[in-house]
Amino acid sequence: MSPVIVTRAISTVGPTLKAGLFALALGGFVLSAPHGAAAQVTAFKQAVAEAASASDPVAQFYRETGYTAIWTGSDDAARARRAALFRALGEAPMHGLPDRTSEINTLMDVLRTVQTTRDLGRAEVAMSRALVGYASDLQTGLLQPRQIDDGIVRKKHQPDFAAYLAGIRDQAPVAYLRSLAPQSAQYQALLREKMRLEVLQRAGGWGPQVAAKKLESGDSGPAVIALRNRLIAMGYLPRSAARRYDGALERAVQAFQSDHGLTSDGVAGGGTLAEINKPVSARLKSVLVAMERERWLTPERGTRHVLVNQTDFTAKIIDNGEVTFVTRSVIGKDNADRRSPEFSDEMEHMVINPSWYVPRSIVTKEYLPKLRNNPNAVGHIEITDSRGRKVNRATADFSKYTARTFPFAMRQPPSRKNALGLVKFMFPNKYNIYLHDTPQKSLFQREVRAFSHGCIRLAQPFEFAYALLARQTENPKDFFHRILNSGKETKVVLDQKVPVHIIYRTAFVTPKGQPEYRRDIYGRDAKVWAALERAGVVLPGVQG
């Protein structure tokens, strides 16, 4: 129906509930058109156009739809949209977003004080802006990743404001607003974990911390009792009155260690106790950060994709939501210029028997200083000029070059001692990051595996290759080793490109529903949490 002068303000019934839900019964309008409907329609359109002028996507939507009202009609559909939006705004903290109580109150005041058609137009735009703001935060994230840390180079998918407005107009409003949250299994699992932790937080957490430096089998005393009680509260141990560090407690510690990326030796050393003593609030922060990070990821992950979680030191192949292959990984060292970045791309090919073309940063920062002192240093690396010709080290004077003027390239030919090992997996990107083999196999036994210059090293690169090739050759193992045994550098193109997602999650839920936590090795999650706090996100239980 056409908007006309509102002769009675919108009435609202029901209090604001502290639990974050709002019981709203927005009354209908008592309408009249003393100066003619056509004049009122024109005034409404002008008011909408003026109010939306500062928001181009909203203005464009109204221009393209003939300035048709979505929110301010007196029909049942408009009332349902208003009620659904207010309810969704009230539930924003459930998704780890800022509390929107003040925004709700402002909108309600705007609706209450409508006196003219122009007021009605401004109210219409205010409601639309509230929708697109909430929808974009919920669907694509509250923060801009690149503004938080240089290593978070992920590109968020762009929100579609017009689609949000068309969706609320054309679909059942409650169902549509619920559909805006990420529908991934991981996001839904994180949401459930958030709710579980909130209950624990309100109940007082996991009890007293364990005051000890190290506890192991055979120990007894107050610290062992505290450890026992804390593991019982966490669900790793059934209720028990045992006062000694017995086999049951050792197994519980091992299970905790496994779920937190620690060496599962059953000994509660300093690292294990530090994780056991973390409060519920710390885990809640990790979950809220993980939910925000999940919003940054494109919903189109790929029916087959590679997932590298840096904090978990693993690389996985995911097929239709199922983990079909997993291997340990090594990531970039925790130095400013070596940390592995977070981004997504597509794997296009692998190179068997690869050469290592040494990145310029390594050439100038690590190798050039050595060559200045000794021209025969790093002798396993070839030095070539701009035409690809080998440089004679005996006659070259490397001392006269600086990092800026060094004119040569460096390459390590294929071999079992090659820095890339015997195979590399390429998804060409401007960060020069890829997955590869390594001759340094012992590093995969470490608990914290951050040693590389930024690329991702795989513990089982051959098996990873077999899994990728299985879709395009009948005997992937024979195919791979036939090329490998030739010793020749060979590029193998994948028939279907495979999306690669390099992520950073200190909280995640396994496919079996088990919540797991990892350490914030690069300190990025601390930065994300600080940014969320600045944006208005608070821990549940604190905001009340």
Side-chain angles (χ1 to χ4, degrees), residues 467-481:
L468 292 173
L469 293 170
R471 291 195 170 185
Q472 62 189 67
T473 183
E474 289 186 1
N475 195 326
K477 187 173 181 180
D478 284 356
F479 174 86
F480 180 86
H481 283 277

Side-chain angles (χ1 to χ4, degrees), residues 201-261:
Q201 176 100 324
R202 288 192 291 271
W206 290 308
Q209 293 186 337
V210 183
K213 293 183 179 180
K214 181 180 179 181
L215 295 170
E216 56 188 332
S217 182
D219 286 346
S220 61
V224 171
I225 295 172
L227 174 62
R228 177 202 68 192
N229 291 342
R230 201 160 173 88
L231 289 173
I232 290 172
M234 290 178 175
Y236 286 98
L237 194 66
R239 290 195 173 276
S240 166
R243 305 177 68 85
R244 295 183 64 81
Y245 200 122
D246 57 12
L249 185 55
E250 184 177 40
R251 288 189 293 274
V253 169
Q254 286 178 316
F256 177 91
Q257 290 169 328
S258 177
D259 289 346
H260 292 76

